[in-house]
Amino acid sequence: MMHRMTMMAIELAIVSLATLFAFEIRWNFEMSFEQAIRYFPYIGLTLISALVVIPIFRLDRSYWRFSGISDYLRITYAMTSIVVSTALVGFIVDRLSMVPRSLPVLQLLVLLAMSIGTRVGFRLMHERRMQETIAHVESSASRGRDAVLVVGVNRLAELYLLSVKDLASESIEVVGIVSIDERHMGRHVQSTDVLGSAVDVGEVVRQLEVHGVFVDSIVVTVAYDQLPPEA
């Protein structure tokens, strides 16, 4: 629920900024403060439309780092619906006299650029971080040791890592950790890298295989009900 609320707030912020930027483009970046105030009703209509449309197209449920073509198509449909519904209501109220007639087209183009662009940027950054983090992991299979992936960053995970280091380092190698908290990604626990979040576990395993590391076992150190539904 918190994730959805956060994503909704971010989506509304993008809609607001894109609409203001479209106004700026329309007035060649010379829009006065008085003009901006006059356009507030249109911005308000846009936000009301976004509050209705965004949940319908489930934009508040997506993970940007996993976005793809199907997500970008949904964004296109959603942003088009927001602009069309806003323009339609504005036309019914005062025949769209509050804004220039070219504004909806500019608004749609800026909305698509900002909404899709941010998702593409997050996906590229995520893939780059994954590749940089995994690239240095050596192949455990070549040394005859079982490759283990640990799920969870907690005291139990730390105890497992210490136990492997002291008692089973010749037969087990922990090749990485995935955490239920995305903020841990890129950090280290007992010199072992946190490769991603629990929802990334499938992608982490595939990326490890690309680099010649084949996971033999996954050790879960958190309670089942603490795992995210996507894991």
Side-chain angles (χ1 to χ4, degrees):
M1 185 63 181
M2 183 59 67
H3 172 77
R4 290 183 58 188
M5 293 176 62
T6 303
M7 294 306 299
M8 175 61 80
I10 294 174
E11 295 289 354
L12 292 177
I14 290 175
V15 170
S16 300
L17 291 174
T19 303
L20 287 172
F21 192 64
F23 278 117
E24 288 286 357
I25 293 175
R26 173 60 181 79
W27 294 109
N28 296 320
F29 298 95
E30 296 178 353
M31 185 173 65
S32 65
F33 181 71
E34 290 74 15
Q35 285 178 308
I37 293 178
R38 192 177 69 184
Y39 296 141
F40 276 5
Y42 183 85
I43 298 174
L45 282 176
T46 301
L47 290 176
I48 292 173
S49 299
L51 280 171
V52 175
V53 171
I54 288 173
I56 293 176
F57 286 90
R58 301 169 67 88
L59 300 187
D60 57 333
R61 296 172 179 262
S62 61
Y63 287 92
W64 289 6
R65 63 184 182 278
F66 299 132
S67 61
I69 296 298
S70 61
D71 298 297
Y72 306 147
L73 288 175
R74 280 194 296 114
I75 292 170
T76 302
Y77 298 146
M79 297 307 161
T80 302
S81 300
I82 290 172
V83 172
V84 170
S85 59
T86 302
L88 182 61
V89 172
F91 185 82
I92 293 173
V93 172
D94 64 353
R95 302 187 66 82
L96 212 60
S97 62
M98 69 178 82
V99 297
R101 296 297 176 89
S102 60
L103 190 278
V105 176
L106 289 173
Q107 183 185 21
L108 177 59
L109 294 176
V110 177
L111 276 171
L112 291 176
M114 291 184 66
S115 297
I116 295 177
T118 50
R119 286 166 170 82
V120 171
F122 267 82
R123 180 181 178 88
L124 292 176
M125 286 191 297
H126 175 68
E127 291 180 351
R128 182 175 179 179
R129 285 202 304 173
M130 288 283 294
Q131 292 173 357
E132 290 177 350
T133 305
I134 293 175
H136 77 281
V137 179
E138 298 178 350
S139 174
S140 302
S142 63
R143 296 192 298 274
R145 291 193 285 179
D146 291 336
V148 175
L149 183 67
V150 175
V151 178
V153 176
N154 51 33
R155 294 285 293 176
L156 184 57
E158 183 182 23
L159 180 60
Y160 178 79
L161 294 173
L162 290 172
S163 299
V164 169
K165 180 179 179 180
D166 293 340
L167 305 174
S169 59
E170 295 182 358
S171 59
I172 296 175
E173 180 177 1
V174 179
V175 295
I177 301 171
V178 293
S179 171
I180 60 175
D181 190 339
E182 297 179 8
R183 294 175 298 177
H184 293 152
M185 184 173 175
R187 300 183 181 181
H188 308 275
V189 179
Q190 292 295 325
S191 301
T192 303
D193 294 320
V194 179
L195 304 178
S197 66
V199 296
D200 300 334
V201 63
E203 183 179 355
V204 169
V205 171
R206 287 191 294 271
Q207 289 288 338
L208 286 168
E209 290 177 351
V210 168
H211 290 83
V213 179
F214 296 90
V215 176
D216 298 298
S217 305
I218 297 178
V219 175
V220 180
T221 64
V222 296
Y224 179 78
D225 57 2
Q226 292 181 339
L227 293 172
E230 299 87 353

